[in-house]
């Protein structure tokens, strides 16, 4: 059995006098889509189907309703209870309020989808008793935690205060510059477990320590790091050896007796050797340089001569380097030493400097002797018996440096000893401060331990109660499974898993992103109710057969975003495509478009519109064929333009026709909002701001703004605010809206106007 039509609806809610035959309507098909804005009568129409579902008569005063089935049977509204009616299931706002809203208003809990058995009810009562006990236990635990925090704060505050005092007194100590509560706690612990008794300092001992820490130790002085030249065993020995040598060669007397000339000739010979033709011409006089003369000179300046010359120069360089290294050493000023060592340091420095000067003079003498040897290579020479003793000079230098370093060691030892004395004084004072604080510290620690123990007991009680509740809830698995199934369907329906149901007593608690949801939005209430509705269609307890049943769905996607809307549509499609007859009513154009595409594919569909008009001052609804623009286009925009375009042509001279314009302000507003959003995509302001941006005639813009602000209210018209004087200007205002659109985009307007004559989609 299916419903073919509703022959008449009179005096039923917003339907004042609707008759099927007067509307030129096709009979209901297997799939039926009804589109109507808010306030157009969808809820009233779905309410009529609900009477069939409940086998309940229509009882409104003077109501006259008649259904006709596909077998020709007619069922009067006041005879439904006694008639044989098809199995109908209706989802609408009344269903949402009955299945979800009433329960949420009480404790923000969802009414259960599956009721509990007697055993589970008993366990629920036990759980409630445990929860009452748990609430008290949690309060005690919170109070105990507060006491713990207070005791901890007192303990920490005491440690901070004492540490701050110790730091301020011992601030000059490098060890105590970063003294903090952790340092204080650590020292208190060490004193307690030191293994020997500790006593508080007497006043005299404390004053002595204070005096000791006022002392300032001098900085350490680095030792003199001088490499003592080996004057006797190295420099003196090498020099004497070189001076005692003589070169045996084929000497030329005139050169041997004239060292300066010999040096000059030797340089010339070296220059000639570097020339390829040095045998032929003398570079000095230009005369012939014979081979005989060359042999004579080379015999005089043989390898032994050059070797001795080289050794002499190397020894001179070594002595000079040793001297320079020794003279670079600097001795610290006497003011760097403690007062008791200043005089000794000054005397030792003078002695050391004198030893350095003597050593330098001796080395200069050695260099002088070696320079003389360069001119006396062919005879032995010597240092001379009157030269100072090299061993004495070296010993004096060594002893003076060692004596100065001994004074430095004495200075550094004094610094270390004084530093240790000051460090010991600081430690004694720190111990004294900690010792005086130990009694009060012990009281703080005892209070902390006491409160921690009380908190642990309270926490254990809470955990025990939670375990008892959890154990009982685990025994209620039979109730938990349906919730999990519903959660999976809820995730599929909304397209996300943010919302979940958890078993609570004999119902469900709603969780949002893991936290309890205090309030359900309109969309969430509708979604939960709709899921329950779809689940009941396949239930086993009410004998509803999808293959022969009729399903009526009125706006199941309230307040859902675009993504969730698509998920909800897909979910609904999968679960209702096998029913015998389906009615879907909606005001949402996006949802309407999805359903329209689906139904069009089924080839057994009919599309309808719900419209309202004013008759004798009252709004009345009627069912009519779907407007061709809504049927053929995937956007509501063309339909809105058609409404405005036709209204601009209507006569408003007679007040009897004004009722035809009650819906136009909202139509005009929706059209303008869509058009101006397209024209000014970068402006997010109000409609009034966008109208101003349009740059249209100021007077016309003001008439449009006043007309829209007076009559458009959230998609509906409030009759109490009707003003015939303004409403009579509808055609003129509609024409000005058309003129505004044409002025901003003439090509776009021309294509829309062309649709009025040939309403076909333009490719």
């Amino acid at each position: 059995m299916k419903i073919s039509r509703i022959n008449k609806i009179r005096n039923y809610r917003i339907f004042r006098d609707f008759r099927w035959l007067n509307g030129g309507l096709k009979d209901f098909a297997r799939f039926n889509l009804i589109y109507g804005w808010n306030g157009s009568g969808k809820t009233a129409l779905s309410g009529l189907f609900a009477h069939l579902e409940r086998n309940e008569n229509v009882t409104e005063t003077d109501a006259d309703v008649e259904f006709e089935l596909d077998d020709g049977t007619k069922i009067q509204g006041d005879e439904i209870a006694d008639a044989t009616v098809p199995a109908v299931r209706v989802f609408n706002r009344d269903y949402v309020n009955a299945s979800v809203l009433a329960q949420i208003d009480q404790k923000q809990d969802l009414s259960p989808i599956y009721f509990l058995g007697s055993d589970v009810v008993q366990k629920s009562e036990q759980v409630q008793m445990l929860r009452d006990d748990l609430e008290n236990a949690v309060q005690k635990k919170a109070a105990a935690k507060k006491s713990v925090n207070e005791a901890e704060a007192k303990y920490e505050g005491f440690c901070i205060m004492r540490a701050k005092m110790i730091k301020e007194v011992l601030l000059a100590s490098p060890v105590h510059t970063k003294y903090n509560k952790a340092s204080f706690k650590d020292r208190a612990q060490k004193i307690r477990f030191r293994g020997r008794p500790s006593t508080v300092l007497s006043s005299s001992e404390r004053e002595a320590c204070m005096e000791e820490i006022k002392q300032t130790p001098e900085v350490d002085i680095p030792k003199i790091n001088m490499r003592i030249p080996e004057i006797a065993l190295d420099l003196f020995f090498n020099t004497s050896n070189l001076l005692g040598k003589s070169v045996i060669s084929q000497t030329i007397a005139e050169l041997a007796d004239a060292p300066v000339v010999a040096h000059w000739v030797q340089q010339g010979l070296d220059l000639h050797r570097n020339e390829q033709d040095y045998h032929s011409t003398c570079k000095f006089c230009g005369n012939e340089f014979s081979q005989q003369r060359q042999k004579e000179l080379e015999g005089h300046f043989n390898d032994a001569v050059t070797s001795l010359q080289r050794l002499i120069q190397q020894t001179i360089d070594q002595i000079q380097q040793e001297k320079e290294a020794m003279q670079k050493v600097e001795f610290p000023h006497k003011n760097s030493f403690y007062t008791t060592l200043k005089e000794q340091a000054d005397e030792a420095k003078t002695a050391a400097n004198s030893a350095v000067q003597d050593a330098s003079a001796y080395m200069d003498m050695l260099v002088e002797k070696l320079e003389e040897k360069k001119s006396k290579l062919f005879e032995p020479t010597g240092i001379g018996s009157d030269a100072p003793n090299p061993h004495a000079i070296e010993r004096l230098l060594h002893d003076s440096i060692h004596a100065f370093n001994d004074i430095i060691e004495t200075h550094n030892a004094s610094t270390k000893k004084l530093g240790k004395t000051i460090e010991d004084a600081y430690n004694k004072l720190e111990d004294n401060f900690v010792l005086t604080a130990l009694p009060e510290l012990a009281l703080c620690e005892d209070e902390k331990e006491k409160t921690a123990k009380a908190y642990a007991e309270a926490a254990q009680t809470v955990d025990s109660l939670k375990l008892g509740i959890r154990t009982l809830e685990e025994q209620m698995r039979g109730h938990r499974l349906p919730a999990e199934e519903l959660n999976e369907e809820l995730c599929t329906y909304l397209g996300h898993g943010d919302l979940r149901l958890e078993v609570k007593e004999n119902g469900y608690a709603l969780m949002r992103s893991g936290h309890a949801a205090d309030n359900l939005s309109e969309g969430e209430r509708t979604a939960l109710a709709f899921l329950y509705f779809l689940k009941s269609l396949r239930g086993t307890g009410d004998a509803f057969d999808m293959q022969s049943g009729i399903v009526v769905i009125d706006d199941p996607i309230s307040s859902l975003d675009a993504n969730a809307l698509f998920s909800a549509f897909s979910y609904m499609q999968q679960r209702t495509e096998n029913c015998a007859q389906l009615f879907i009513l909606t005001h949402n154009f996006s949802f309407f478009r999805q359903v329209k595409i689906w139904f069009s594919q089924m080839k057994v569909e009919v599309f309808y519109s719900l419209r309202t008009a004013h008759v004798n001052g009252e709004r009345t609804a009627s069912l009519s064929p779907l407007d061709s623009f809504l049927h053929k286009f995937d956007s509501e925009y063309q339909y809105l333009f058609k409404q405005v375009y036709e209204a601009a042509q209507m006569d408003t001279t007679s007040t009897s026709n004004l009722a035809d314009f009650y819906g136009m302000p909202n139509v005009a507003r929706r059209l303008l909002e869509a058009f101006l959003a397209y024209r000014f995509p970068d402006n997010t302001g109000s409609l009034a701001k966008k109208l101003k941006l349009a740059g249209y005639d100021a007077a016309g813009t003001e008439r449009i703004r006043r007309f829209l602000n007076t009559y458009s209210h959230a998609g509906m018209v409030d009759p109490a605010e009707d003003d015939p004087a303004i409403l009579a200007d509808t055609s003129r205002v509609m024409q000005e809206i058309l003129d505004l659109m044409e002025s901003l985009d003439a090509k776009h307007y021309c294509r829309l106007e062309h649709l009025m004559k040939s309403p076909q989609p333009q490719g």
Side-chain angles (χ1 to χ4, degrees), residues 391-405:
H391 293 282
I393 290 175
E394 183 178 337
R395 171 57 59 186
L396 179 62
L397 179 62
H398 180 275
D399 291 346
S400 64
I401 298 300
H402 183 74
F404 197 89
N405 279 336

Side-chain angles (χ1 to χ4, degrees), residues 15-59:
F15 287 90
R16 313 312 303 172
D17 190 12
F18 166 74
R19 296 182 182 274
W20 187 272
L21 294 178
N22 293 343
L25 299 170
K26 293 182 180 179
D27 286 354
F28 289 136
R30 181 186 174 196
F31 295 96
N32 306 276
L33 175 59
I34 302 173
Y35 179 69
W37 294 343
N38 285 337
S40 62
K42 296 191 309 304
T43 303
L45 188 59
S46 64
L48 276 180
F49 286 108
H51 282 281
L52 295 177
E53 177 183 11
R54 298 188 298 267
N55 278 64
E56 179 180 276
N57 293 337
V58 177
T59 58

Side-chain angles (χ1 to χ4, degrees), residues 639-672:
Y639 172 69
L640 295 172
F641 180 83
K642 176 184 178 183
Q643 297 286 90
V644 172
Y645 188 86
E646 291 177 349
Q649 319 300 322
M650 295 180 65
D651 179 20
T652 58
T653 57
S654 173
T655 57
S656 61
N657 296 330
L658 294 183
D660 296 327
F661 297 120
Y662 282 136
M664 289 311 301
N666 284 306
V667 173
R669 172 179 284 275
R670 291 168 73 167
L671 175 67
L672 270 179

Side-chain angles (χ1 to χ4, degrees), residues 690-702:
K690 291 180 180 178
L691 281 172
K692 188 175 181 180
L693 286 174
Y696 187 62
D697 174 69
T701 299
E702 177 58 23

Side-chain angles (χ1 to χ4, degrees), residues 398-551:
H398 180 275
D399 291 346
S400 64
I401 298 300
H402 183 74
F404 197 89
N405 279 336
D406 285 345
I407 297 173
I408 291 176
E409 284 186 359
T410 302
H411 170 88
N412 291 344
S414 299
T415 297
K416 184 176 181 181
K417 182 178 179 181
L418 180 58
K420 184 65 170 60
T421 300
I422 295 173
E423 181 183 353
D424 289 344
Y426 276 121
N427 289 331
K428 288 178 182 179
L429 289 172
E430 180 188 354
D431 280 355
N432 188 65
F433 287 129
V434 175
L435 279 168
T436 57
L438 282 181
E440 190 171 351
L441 179 65
L443 292 176
C444 292
E445 290 172 336
D446 290 344
E447 182 66 20
K448 192 172 69 155
E449 183 179 354
K450 179 181 176 182
T451 55
K453 182 178 180 181
Y455 175 74
E457 293 174 352
Q460 184 178 5
T461 300
V462 170
D463 292 342
S464 177
L465 290 171
K466 286 183 177 179
L467 178 60
I469 293 172
R470 187 164 58 249
T471 301
L472 289 172
E473 288 179 341
E474 288 174 357
Q475 295 172 3
M476 299 163 65
R477 291 185 187 277
H479 199 91
R480 191 179 297 271
L481 180 59
E484 292 303 320
E485 292 177 356
L486 192 56
N487 282 331
E488 293 178 5
E489 296 179 357
L490 184 61
C491 180
T492 303
Y493 181 82
L494 295 177
H496 60 77
D498 294 348
L499 291 178
R500 291 187 61 81
L501 294 171
E502 291 185 359
V503 175
K504 184 176 181 181
E505 300 175 2
N506 63 338
Y508 301 92
L510 182 68
M511 308 299 291
R512 181 180 288 109
S513 299
H515 301 284
D518 295 333
N519 295 292
L520 290 174
S521 68
E522 184 70 19
E524 291 166 348
R525 285 196 298 270
T526 303
L528 290 171
F530 191 49
L531 289 174
Y532 183 17
F533 172 78
L534 293 177
K535 198 170 187 67
S536 69
L537 297 181
R538 300 186 178 186
T540 58
D542 56 4
F544 181 77
D545 181 11
M546 285 282 288
Q547 302 296 327
S548 61
I550 299 172
V551 178

Side-chain angles (χ1 to χ4, degrees), residues 76-137:
Q76 301 299 320
D78 57 358
E79 299 176 352
I80 294 176
D82 299 323
T84 300
V85 298
V88 179
R89 291 294 180 268
V90 177
F91 176 85
N92 60 7
R93 180 53 45 194
D94 293 336
Y95 180 90
V96 174
N97 292 336
S99 61
V100 177
L101 185 60
Q103 295 300 321
I104 293 175
D105 287 343
Q106 294 175 6
K107 292 185 178 181
Q108 312 241 333
D109 294 335
L110 298 176
S111 57
I113 295 177
Y114 297 99
F115 293 97
L116 302 175
S118 58
D119 182 57
V120 178
V121 170
Q122 183 180 4
K123 287 182 171 56
S124 296
E125 293 174 350
Q126 294 175 2
V127 167
Q128 185 57 51
M129 292 175 61
L130 291 178
R131 283 179 176 163
D132 292 340
D133 293 341
L134 178 61
E135 184 177 355
N136 294 330

